[in-house]
C-alpha cells in the first residue's frame, strides 16, 4: 500500500491492488480507508492512518494484563467505545457517511460494518483471531481464542452476544421466527467484509477489478 494518497488515480491503483491480493494479505482497515478516499480523494489519508495506529497502540497497552477472553474484549471496548467514543449511529442510520471510514473516524459513529472494521483492526493488532461474520443484515464480529469464541456487536458498544441475543438480533433484522443457523456465525474473509461495507453505498462506481461485484442486498 502507498503511504500518501493525493489523486484519484493513486486511490484507484491501491484498490486494484486490494482486488489482486490474497484475502489473508489484505490490511482491512487500510483497504476501507482507500474506499473512503475514493469518495474523498483530497482528504489527508495519513491523518486517518495515524489514528488507526493510535487505536492499536492504546489497545495493546490496555490489554497487556488481560487474561481471559472477556478481559480482552472488555479492554478493547474501553479504548474504542469509552475512551474514543465510537458508537452506532441509530439516529441517522442511512446516512452514507456511516459507511465511509474517514467520516466514521471524524464523527466517531457509523454503521455496524464500519465499526466492525475498526474492532477487527484493533483486535488483530494484538495478534488475535478476529473476523467479520456472515450474520444477516447486521454486522457481527467473531473473536476467537484458545478458550472459546465470542460474538461481538460493534454497533452497541462491543457487547457480547450469546445465543439468545443472536436470535433476538436475527428476528429484529430479518423477521419474527427467523432461525439462527451455524453459517450465520461463520467467519468471512476480508474481501467479504469490504463487500458488505460497499453494499451500504450501492451502487458505487469503484474501479473495475478492485472488489468482486457485490451481491444484491
Amino acid at each position: 500500500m502507498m503511504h500518501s494518497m493525493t489523486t484519484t488515480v493513486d486511490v484507484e491503483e491501491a484498490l486494484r491492488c486490494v482486488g489482486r491480493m490474497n484475502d489473508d494479505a489484505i490490511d482491512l482497515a487500510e483497504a476501507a480507508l482507500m474506499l473512503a478516499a475514493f469518495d474523498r480523494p483530497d482528504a489527508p489519508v495519513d491523518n486517518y492512518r495515524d489514528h488507526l495506529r493510535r487505536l492499536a497502540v492504546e489497545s495493546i497497552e490496555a490489554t497487556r494484563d488481560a487474561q481471559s477472553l472477556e478481559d480482552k474484549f472488555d479492554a478493547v471496548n474501553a479504548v474504542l467505545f469509552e475512551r474514543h467514543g465510537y458508537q452506532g449511529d441509530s439516529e441517522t442510520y442511512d446516512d452514507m457517511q456511516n459507511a465511509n471510514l474517514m467520516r466514521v473516524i471524524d464523527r466517531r459513529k457509523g454503521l455496524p460494518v464500519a465499526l466492525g472494521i475498526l474492532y477487527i483492526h484493533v483486535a488483530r493488532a494484538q495478534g488475535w483471531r478476529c473476523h467479520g461474520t456472515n450474520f444477516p443484515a447486521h454486522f457481527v464480529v467473531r473473536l476467537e481464542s484458545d478458550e472459546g469464541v465470542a460474538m461481538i456487536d460493534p454497533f452497541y458498544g462491543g457487547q457480547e452476544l450469546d445465543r439468545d441475543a443472536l436470535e433476538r438480533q436475527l428476528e429484529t433484522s430479518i423477521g419474527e421466527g427467523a432461525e439462527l443457523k451455524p453459517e450465520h456465525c461463520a467467519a468471512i474473509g476480508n474481501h467479504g467484509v469490504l463487500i458488505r461495507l460497499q453494499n451500504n453505498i450501492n451502487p458505487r462506481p469503484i474501479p473495475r477489478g478492485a472488489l468482486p461485484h457485490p451481491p444484491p442486498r
Side-chain angles (χ1 to χ4, degrees), residues 29-80:
E30 173 69 14
L33 276 185
M34 292 302 94
L35 286 171
F38 189 75
D39 292 333
R40 304 179 67 216
D42 296 326
V45 178
D46 284 339
N47 291 353
Y48 296 98
R49 290 192 180 111
D50 288 343
H51 179 72
L52 292 173
R53 282 191 288 267
R54 186 162 64 253
L55 289 177
V57 169
E58 290 179 8
S59 297
I60 289 170
E61 294 171 352
T63 59
R64 184 168 292 132
D65 297 324
Q67 300 296 322
S68 68
L69 182 60
E70 184 176 0
D71 288 342
K72 291 176 179 178
F73 66 71
D74 281 347
V76 172
N77 290 350
V79 172
L80 198 59

Side-chain angles (χ1 to χ4, degrees), residues 91-172:
E91 295 183 0
T92 56
Y93 189 90
D94 292 328
D95 189 333
M96 287 198 299
Q97 295 182 94
N98 287 328
N100 181 296
L101 191 61
M102 291 180 176
R103 295 298 294 139
V104 171
I105 291 171
D106 291 338
R107 300 164 70 236
R108 295 295 197 270
K109 59 184 178 180
L111 290 171
V113 63
L115 296 173
I117 287 170
L118 292 174
Y119 195 100
I120 292 168
H121 167 75
V122 167
R124 288 178 178 173
Q126 331 300 317
W128 301 344
R129 301 188 300 275
C130 190
H131 307 276
T133 69
N134 201 37
F135 199 84
H138 185 81
F139 192 76
V140 175
V141 170
R142 178 185 176 98
L143 180 63
E144 304 173 8
S145 78
D146 293 339
E147 62 185 275
V149 174
M151 302 294 287
I152 307 294
D153 188 341
F155 193 73
Y156 293 109
Q159 64 176 300
E160 183 180 10
L161 302 175
D162 60 16
R163 184 178 179 85
D164 288 343
L166 287 166
E167 289 176 341
R168 288 194 298 272
Q169 181 59 59
L170 191 65
E171 291 193 338
T172 298

Side-chain angles (χ1 to χ4, degrees), residues 17 21 27 62 92 111 191 199 201 204:
C17 181
M21 285 181 176
D27 181 331
T92 56
L111 290 171
H191 276 121
N199 278 348
I201 314 177
R204 178 197 233 169

